[in-house]
Amino acid sequence: MDKKATLTLADGKSLDFPVLTGTIGPEVIDIRTLYGKSGMFTYDPGFLSTASCNSSITYIDGDAGVLLYRGYPIEQLAKHCDFLETCYLLLNGELPNASQKGEFVSTVTRHTMVHDQLTRFFTGFRRDAHPMAVLVGVVGALSAFYHDSLDINNPEHRKISAFRLIAKLPTIVAMAYKYNTGQPFVYPRNDLSYSANFMRMMFAVPAEEYKVNDVLVRALDRILILHADHEQNASTSTVRLSGSSGANPFACIAAGIACLWGPAHGGANEAALNMLEEIGDASKIPEFIKQVKDKNSGAKLMGFGHRVYKNYDPRAKLMRETCYEVLNELGLENDRLFKLAMALEKVALEDDYFVSRKLYPNVDFYSGIVQRALGIPVSMFTCIFSLARTVGWIAQWNEMISDPEQKIGRPRQLYKGAARREVQPIDKR
Ligand code: SDX
């Protein structure tokens, strides 16, 4: 028997709506006919109780602190797979076998170079431009180079665009960093793994051979896995909404990057590290916590809290482990910011203000410390997040385009403005 939900309106009229059930997680009330039946909209700013789509890609259980990519727990993927295997999984729904992985890696590897004209875009920016401003601009401009594959209804065009974006984001992110430092761009190398290639493009200089450090490369690869996708977060919803108009994938990913830049979203790891630098010392933690509790201060515990996780973000646990591994490898186990972050976390998790609001560390709380230890400057943190999330955005965009229920996204509103009135001549205003 099909499940239904009944809504009784103020005038006593009852309306029935189907209840839809997923594989796991909350059921949904299908209210698509509500406006037609009642002349009323639902009202849900911030979409706290709204499912914008059906998806098979990522599942989050915020209360249990669970994150699954295509059903696989993030802890197992971070331990047993690398980032390109995870990309294959998110895009295709299954983990690759050895030959599928070999072909996928080879295709990505052969798309890592960018058109040489793309380098001209960088010179239009000031050297001290925020790398995210550069990334939004350059990624959006990619569509100008691929007129041959912008038909989003052609699966082959969608496939080649996915490969180009996954392969070229590391090259473009590294170019943004090199431009910022005044060092020459470093070309990708086809004999290196995805993450080793990225580390070399970021840190190699022509004056000497770059030595790959496998522990640091593995740490970066894990950071990319942890950030690869996360259900219908703000930037993914931005990509889906942009794509729903038929915009090309490069423009949609540029829109996702722009949204991720916000400090409440992907910009939080940069903000969390700046917060730790500002606190400076564990003795200053009580004063800072007092400020956070004072709503007028506007201070937030950056890297804490989450719209969905009302338990420990599973990615934060894995990020803290990675942090420890990298700092140990570098002989920085007494890193002051890491110790300060752990002290701050301990204080917050014992304080009822945070516990009662179910505020726990999220993926951004430790990721800044790891990236700083890898030599990545604070201003580049959200670029790395964008690099990792590109595969998630593409997988979600692809799923949306292929969804027969898909329509252009066009929410309505509760209008609180002026009722109809007549324009008066200027001498009567
Ligand atoms: C990411 O959506 C995703 O999945 C995002 C992401 C992904 O992978 O795509 O997981 C990545 O964006 C992680 C979140 C990174 N952002 C931050 O760390 C910034 C700090 N966190 C907050 O700004 C906040 O927690 C949000 C934006 C993440 C979530 O905000 P919500 O769900 O809208 O919750 P809320 O703002 O309504 O907060 C509920 C209460 C409020 O207090 P009261 O009004 O009830 O008294 O908790 C308080 C908030 O003031 N609160 C915080 C806080 N976060 C929420 N107080 C202090 N410090 C914080 N960090």
Side-chain angles (χ1 to χ4, degrees):
M1 197 270 265
D2 292 344
K3 286 186 182 179
K4 68 180 175 55
T6 303
L7 181 64
T8 305
L9 302 179
D11 63 4
K13 188 177 166 190
S14 283
L15 300 173
D16 287 345
F17 299 95
V19 170
L20 309 178
T21 306
T23 318
I24 39 178
E27 294 178 319
V28 299
I29 301 170
D30 181 348
I31 54 157
R32 281 175 286 186
T33 59
L34 173 69
Y35 180 57
K37 286 178 180 172
S38 71
M40 296 169 81
F41 300 136
T42 59
Y43 183 64
D44 186 15
F47 310 122
L48 286 121
S49 301
T50 294
S52 60
C53 62
N54 72 74
S55 178
S56 313
I57 299 172
T58 294
Y59 175 73
I60 305 172
D61 179 333
D63 294 327
V66 166
L67 170 57
L68 309 176
Y69 289 168
R70 299 285 190 179
Y72 292 104
I74 190 71
E75 298 82 358
Q76 294 181 26
L77 291 168
K79 193 165 168 209
H80 302 299
C81 298
D82 64 26
F83 179 63
L84 284 189
E85 276 178 281
T86 308
C87 288
Y88 185 100
L89 171 68
L90 288 168
L91 291 170
N92 300 298
E94 297 297 336
L95 280 166
N97 60 34
S99 67
Q100 289 164 332
K101 178 177 177 181
E103 189 189 338
F104 186 80
V105 170
S106 161
T107 307
V108 170
T109 302
R110 272 151 190 76
H111 283 87
T112 50
M113 285 183 69
V114 293
H115 192 294
D116 214 40
Q117 294 282 114
L118 209 74
T119 59
R120 306 281 181 83
F121 288 103
F122 289 84
T123 51
F125 291 100
R126 289 175 25 165
R127 288 279 179 176
D128 63 351
H130 195 290
M132 283 297 277
V134 176
L135 202 57
V136 170
V138 175
V139 170
L142 279 176
S143 49
F145 291 81
Y146 299 112
H147 293 296
D148 65 331
S149 56
L150 292 180
D151 173 4
I152 60 161
N153 297 307
N154 179 334
E156 283 312 305
H157 286 196
R158 295 204 299 271
K159 188 173 173 188
I160 182 64
S161 298
F163 276 118
R164 282 171 169 154
L165 280 158
I166 292 166
K168 296 179 197 309
L169 254 287
T171 309
I172 295 169
V173 167
M175 289 169 80
Y177 175 57
K178 287 305 199 188
Y179 183 72
N180 185 251
T181 59
Q183 290 180 353
F185 296 142
V186 176
Y187 282 89
R189 279 247 309 261
N190 290 353
D191 61 334
L192 294 176
S193 71
Y194 187 87
S195 293
N197 209 3
F198 174 64
M199 292 285 270
R200 182 178 168 279
M201 290 190 284
M202 283 283 287
F203 301 118
V205 288
E208 61 188 27
E209 263 315 294
Y210 175 76
K211 290 182 192 60
V212 173
N213 177 322
D214 290 338
V215 174
L216 303 190
V217 167
R218 180 67 189 130
L220 177 86
D221 203 72
R222 179 183 277 193
I223 289 171
L224 300 182
I225 292 172
L226 296 180
H227 287 84
D229 193 49
H230 213 240
E231 202 214 63
Q232 305 311 319
N233 59 83
S235 52
T236 297
S237 301
T238 301
V239 171
R240 278 181 172 259
L241 198 56
S242 311
S244 73
S245 74
N248 72 70
F250 305 99
C252 294
I253 299 302
I257 294 171
C259 176
L260 189 71
W261 194 359
H265 189 13
N269 52 18
E270 180 175 351
L273 203 86
N274 292 335
M275 171 190 74
L276 290 170
E277 292 285 11
E278 214 177 289
I279 296 171
D281 181 86
S283 61
K284 302 277 183 14
I285 289 177
E287 175 52 31
F288 176 72
I289 294 287
K290 203 162 136 235
Q291 257 184 45
V292 169
K293 291 178 180 177
D294 168 12
K295 288 274 192 272
N296 302 323
S297 75
K300 278 199 182 277
L301 186 47
M302 298 314 280
F304 256 67
H306 198 278
R307 169 60 57 76
V308 178
Y309 289 123
K310 301 308 174 192
N311 195 326
Y312 213 102
D313 180 336
R315 302 169 298 175
K317 272 196 198 109
L318 292 159
M319 199 60 82
R320 189 175 56 192
E321 274 169 35
T322 305
C323 208
Y324 196 70
E325 281 164 24
V326 168
L327 293 171
N328 263 326
E329 167 69 14
L330 297 172
L332 300 172
E333 52 279 358
N334 292 318
D335 178 84
R336 68 181 177 85
L337 285 187
F338 184 51
K339 288 183 130 14
L340 179 59
M342 290 200 292
L344 181 56
E345 174 189 344
K346 187 172 179 311
V347 169
L349 294 184
E350 289 164 358
D351 185 313
D352 187 55
Y353 180 90
F354 300 96
V355 175
S356 63
R357 289 171 175 78
K358 299 190 174 185
L359 300 176
Y360 292 87
N362 60 50
V363 67
D364 292 303
F365 190 63
Y366 286 101
S367 73
I369 303 169
V370 191
Q371 293 183 70
R372 175 177 156 273
L374 293 175
I376 296 165
V378 177
S379 62
M380 289 299 295
F381 289 176
T382 315
C383 291
I384 308 292
F385 197 152
S386 305
L387 190 174
R389 187 54 58 89
T390 290
V391 63
W393 288 329
I394 291 169
Q396 299 271 352
W397 168 79
N398 233 348
E399 183 179 64
M400 176 204 62
I401 301 274
S402 329
D403 181 347
E405 292 189 324
Q406 151 58 23
K407 291 171 117 36
I408 187 166
R410 207 276 185 221
R412 303 301 302 272
Q413 63 179 11
L414 172 66
Y415 179 66
K416 309 267 280 187
R420 179 192 166 88
R421 52 185 172 162
E422 306 310 315
V423 173
Q424 299 302 318
I426 193 160
D427 56 357
K428 290 201 172 5
R429 286 179 212 157

